[in-house]
């Protein structure tokens, strides 16, 4: 509990997001630090007598410090494991992967939790150590997915993959090589409509420069989803100009050509992965 005790953690840039200039899904979500975070989330009651602004700030500091303390403990123990591999002479032939199943909002957009296709939730940490094949400190910006993990590990152990696998080995990327036909976009779908934090069901496409999201906002009878459809809406973000995804340009005529290209590519990826566009 002493780590960060006398330190204020900086708030993320979009901490005071007002959810304007986007689809209504962002405004309707119930994962706001100030409004929706409970004593259970904070593991401590909120002090009395705070203004709304002070309460939001207090909640954020309480939450982020608790999170960072957990991460520090994990980091320390990962370090112990790496030290052991080094000391026992096992490091050269051991693949170590440090990753997660998804990202997480840590005050970004004023939120906690995940689910949305926005960057903080969509992107995953991925650090890999394999001295035999990976140069220490090297960085690769190609787009890999958790779909690729299995094929990559099979490739590294000279085991054949099966035909039903949807990913692809990124072993050449580990070695610093370029794969000319590597993916330039990815498909995402969140189907649990209103099941958690009132997040609308949606799917979308992300490229290196743009993101297209369609909130079809319908449970479609899937287990765990709510039977409470909402009006469908689109969002389009220029990730180079708007990395925090504050202003959707879906209705901006300057992006009409980009929008058409992304929509076509979205439907192609849906077909590739056995999904299909929403039919209202």
């Amino acid at each position: 509990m002493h780590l960060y005790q006398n330190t204020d953690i900086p708030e993320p840039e979009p901490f005071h997001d007002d959810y304007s200039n986007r689809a209504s899904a962002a405004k309707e979500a119930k994962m706001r630090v100030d409004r929706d975070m409970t004593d259970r989330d904070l593991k401590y009651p909120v002090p009395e007598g705070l203004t709304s602004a002070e309460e939001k700030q207090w909640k954020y500091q309480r939450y982020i410090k608790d999170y960072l303390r957990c991460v520090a403990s994990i980091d320390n123990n990962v370090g112990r494991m790496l030290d052991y591999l080094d000391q026992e002479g096992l490091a050269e032939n051991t693949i170590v992967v440090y990753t997660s199943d998804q990202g997480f909002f840590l005050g970004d957009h004023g939120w906690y939790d995940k689910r949305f296709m926005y960057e903080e939730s969509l992107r995953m940490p991925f650090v890999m150590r394999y001295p035999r094949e990976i140069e220490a400190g090297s960085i690769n910006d190609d787009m890999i997915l958790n779909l690729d993990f299995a094929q990559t590990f099979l490739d590294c152990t000279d085991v054949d993959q099966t035909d039903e696998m949807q990913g692809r080995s990124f072993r050449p990327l580990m070695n610093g090589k370029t794969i000319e036909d590597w993916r330039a976009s990815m498909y995402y779908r969140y189907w649990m409509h209103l099941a958690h934090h009132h997040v609308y069901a949606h799917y979308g496409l992300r490229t290196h420069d743009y993101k297209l999201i369609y909130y079809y906002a319908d449970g479609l009878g899937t287990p765990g989803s709510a039977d409470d459809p909402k009006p469908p809406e689109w969002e389009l973000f220029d990730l180079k100009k708007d990395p925090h995804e504050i202003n959707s340009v879906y209705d901006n005529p300057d992006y009409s050509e980009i929008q058409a290209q992304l929509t076509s590519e979205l439907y192609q990826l849906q077909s590739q992965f056995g999904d299909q566009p929403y039919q209202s």
Side-chain angles (χ1 to χ4, degrees):
M1 288 296 292
H2 297 294
L3 188 62
Y4 307 116
Q5 185 173 11
N6 298 314
T7 302
D8 281 341
I9 307 300
E11 297 164 354
E13 187 169 331
F15 186 57
H16 300 289
D17 195 342
D18 64 3
Y19 315 108
S20 60
N21 302 316
R22 298 208 294 284
S24 59
K27 185 173 291 186
E28 294 299 320
K30 296 180 179 179
M31 56 173 70
R32 299 188 195 181
V33 170
D34 54 352
R35 185 190 66 188
D36 303 311
M37 188 172 278
T38 66
D39 291 354
R40 181 178 180 182
D41 297 314
L42 297 164
K43 305 172 187 174
Y44 199 83
V46 177
E48 296 181 358
L50 300 179
T51 65
S52 57
E54 290 170 340
E55 181 175 328
K56 182 178 182 179
Q57 184 181 42
W58 184 90
K59 284 183 173 181
Y60 174 72
Q61 292 298 323
R62 171 74 186 179
Y63 191 76
I64 192 64
K65 289 178 183 180
D66 183 52
Y67 181 92
L68 292 176
R69 288 165 183 148
C70 291
V71 171
S73 177
I74 293 172
D75 285 351
N76 288 338
N77 284 285
V78 169
R80 292 174 59 199
M81 180 189 69
L82 296 178
D83 288 344
Y84 174 82
L85 293 174
D86 291 338
Q87 293 162 8
E88 298 298 318
L90 300 171
E92 189 72 17
N93 195 38
T94 301
I95 299 173
V96 178
V97 176
Y98 191 33
T99 187
S100 176
D101 56 342
Q102 75 277 310
F104 207 82
F105 296 110
L106 295 171
D108 313 277
H109 301 287
W111 287 336
Y112 63 103
D113 203 69
K114 46 195 175 184
R115 307 176 205 285
F116 275 99
M117 198 182 169
Y118 296 137
E119 289 291 272
E120 298 85 2
S121 173
L122 178 70
R123 300 190 66 166
M124 300 160 50
F126 188 85
V127 181
M128 193 171 190
R129 188 179 85 158
Y130 189 28
R132 174 184 288 184
E133 297 193 19
I134 301 175
E135 181 182 353
S138 58
I139 298 174
N140 185 285
D141 292 324
D142 287 301
M143 193 178 293
I144 67 169
L145 308 176
N146 50 10
L147 288 174
D148 303 323
F149 291 1
Q151 284 94 321
T152 301
F153 301 148
L154 291 174
D155 190 4
C156 289
T157 53
D158 296 322
V159 177
D160 293 334
Q161 68 181 53
T162 57
D163 292 337
E164 65 268 20
M165 289 181 166
Q166 295 177 320
R168 184 177 178 184
S169 172
F170 54 81
R171 188 179 184 183
L173 301 179
M174 293 162 42
N175 298 325
K177 298 177 182 177
T178 299
I179 304 177
E180 295 298 334
D181 62 344
W182 191 254
R183 73 171 62 86
S185 62
M186 61 154 291
Y187 177 63
Y188 174 86
R189 181 163 187 170
Y190 178 75
W191 55 268
M192 298 185 71
H193 181 57
L194 304 181
H196 302 282
H197 296 283
H198 209 71
V199 176
Y200 291 3
H202 58 288
Y203 56 68
L205 173 89
R206 188 198 191 280
T207 70
H208 290 287
D209 296 331
Y210 299 99
K211 185 181 294 179
L212 180 68
I213 305 174
Y214 181 55
Y215 296 95
Y216 62 94
D218 190 334
L220 299 174
T222 53
S225 296
D227 183 17
D228 184 12
K230 307 294 182 184
E233 295 179 275
W234 289 90
E235 288 179 335
L236 171 61
F237 295 102
D238 185 330
L239 299 177
K240 297 298 183 184
K241 295 181 179 179
D242 181 23
H244 296 298
E245 298 163 298
I246 299 298
N247 297 296
S248 172
V249 294
Y250 186 81
D251 295 321
N252 186 332
D254 292 341
Y255 287 85
S256 58
E257 185 175 339
I258 292 293
Q259 182 187 124
Q261 293 172 357
L262 294 175
T263 303
S264 175
E265 189 168 354
L266 170 64
Y267 294 153
Q268 289 175 10
L269 284 183
Q270 284 186 315
S271 176
Q272 176 183 332
F273 292 119
D275 205 353
Q276 58 186 2
Y278 172 72
Q279 302 293 328
S280 58

